Amino acid sequence: MGDCIVDTTDGVMVIRFNRPERMNSLGGTLLAEFNAALLEGRADDRVRAFVVTGEGRAWNAGADLQAVGSGGANENSKRWNAVDPIGEVGRTILNLRGCDKPTIAAVNGVAVGGGLGFCSAFDIRIASEQARFSTVFIKRALAPDCGLSWFLPRLIGPERASEMFFTGRMVDATEALSMGLVSRVVPHEELMDAALSLARGIANSPPSAMIYTRRALHNSQTATLEQQLEFEWVNQKACLRAPEFQEGVRSFLEKRDPDWSQF
């Protein structure tokens, strides 16, 4: 069994980080296997949403410091990482954000350091009551990476982000919900049911409109209002030409639920 476990059911690809003995840290083959699964799901029209969770007591603990300390991290890619201005983790973040299908992090335990950066790149985060979050970098004499200095201020505001970065303190699930870091907190044993219920509802949506909606939300983070209005109208014209729109209109006129499974 590899460092990621992948299963697809009802239009939802579930990816489980499977390094529980290392708290699912970003080492071994985890990133390579995650990227392979994500690329497979992106190319498969049957996959309409992703749920990512972790085995054991962690969602993702960031860098594998035990491997880094022993000189064993990314042994086969040191030269590439040295010359690549983004690095393997950075390219994974771009791969995740560039996916046209909604992504949900089902945070079962700790998400710290680069793991929190990774988690912050998802569209939606649902947390178990056992989840905990920390930037932690400052406590290891490191600066932020994995895009966390970009994501966190946008999620919780610059002042709260500054406090988390400067102190490295741990934030529990309840506080994470109050500050907007996660959208929902559920009992631990209900986490995957809640995440899968949400993902299946998303999967049962008009696929083209979902793609354009996700693109619009991501584009809005760097666009001016005028640029966003133009972006929205280009997308809307594409939606109006898509066959899903005709089904939406017919179902409205016929007073029935639309059937998106045909697209």
Side-chain angles (χ1 to χ4, degrees):
M1 191 173 293
D3 286 347
C4 285
I5 302 170
V6 182
D7 177 66
T8 302
T9 307
D10 297 331
V12 180
M13 176 176 279
V14 177
I15 304 173
R16 294 179 179 271
F17 298 141
N18 188 40
R19 302 186 77 218
E21 73 286 355
R22 295 289 184 87
M23 297 184 72
N24 299 320
S25 54
L26 300 170
T29 59
L30 187 145
L31 284 175
E33 292 182 27
F34 176 81
N35 275 304
L38 190 62
L39 289 171
E40 178 185 340
R42 288 176 64 172
D44 188 344
D45 286 343
R46 295 170 298 179
V47 174
R48 298 193 178 185
F50 293 87
V51 172
V52 179
T53 193
E55 292 290 308
R57 61 192 182 94
W59 189 82
N60 190 288
D64 188 343
L65 293 181
Q66 185 175 342
V68 171
S70 64
N74 298 315
E75 194 67 36
N76 296 323
S77 61
K78 283 183 176 179
R79 181 176 300 167
W80 174 248
N81 276 319
V83 300
D84 184 359
I86 294 179
E88 183 181 18
V89 176
R91 298 202 178 279
T92 301
I93 299 295
L94 291 179
N95 187 19
L96 179 63
R97 294 291 285 183
C99 176
D100 266 334
K101 301 172 183 182
T103 59
I104 300 168
V107 189
N108 57 293
V110 296
V112 299
L116 179 54
F118 203 178
C119 185
S120 299
F122 282 72
D123 296 318
I124 300 170
R125 283 156 295 283
I126 298 178
S128 153
E129 60 192 357
Q130 297 180 15
R132 294 180 296 154
F133 307 86
S134 173
T135 62
V136 91
F137 291 104
I138 200 73
K139 293 188 174 182
R140 307 290 181 261
L142 292 170
D145 62 14
C146 293
L148 189 54
S149 61
W150 192 90
F151 291 116
L152 196 59
R154 287 168 168 79
L155 289 172
I156 66 174
E159 186 170 348
R160 283 177 169 168
S162 295
E163 185 201 354
M164 287 190 67
F165 279 122
F166 296 163
T167 67
R169 71 180 181 87
M170 195 70 74
V171 171
D172 66 19
T174 300
E175 185 177 2
L177 178 63
S178 70
M179 64 172 56
L181 183 55
V182 301
S183 64
R184 195 187 315 174
V185 176
V186 299
H188 185 73
E189 62 275 10
E190 297 176 14
L191 175 64
M192 286 307 295
D193 286 342
L196 288 171
S197 176
L198 175 61
R200 288 169 184 147
I202 290 171
N204 188 30
S205 300
S208 295
M210 183 63 70
I211 288 171
Y212 288 126
T213 297
R214 189 176 187 275
R215 287 180 181 177
L217 289 170
H218 285 210
N219 191 75
S220 70
Q221 300 210 16
T222 55
T224 64
L225 174 59
E226 184 175 356
Q227 289 169 338
Q228 189 67 9
L229 288 168
E230 180 178 348
F231 190 85
E232 287 179 344
W233 184 228
V234 170
N235 288 346
Q236 194 72 298
K237 286 187 287 187
C239 285
L240 290 167
R241 294 192 297 268
E244 293 100 311
F245 176 66
Q246 298 304 319
E247 168 62 10
V249 172
R250 283 194 300 269
S251 65
F252 173 75
L253 295 176
E254 296 168 7
K255 298 182 180 181
R256 59 174 174 82
D257 292 332
D259 177 15
W260 307 122
S261 63
Q262 60 186 298
F263 301 105

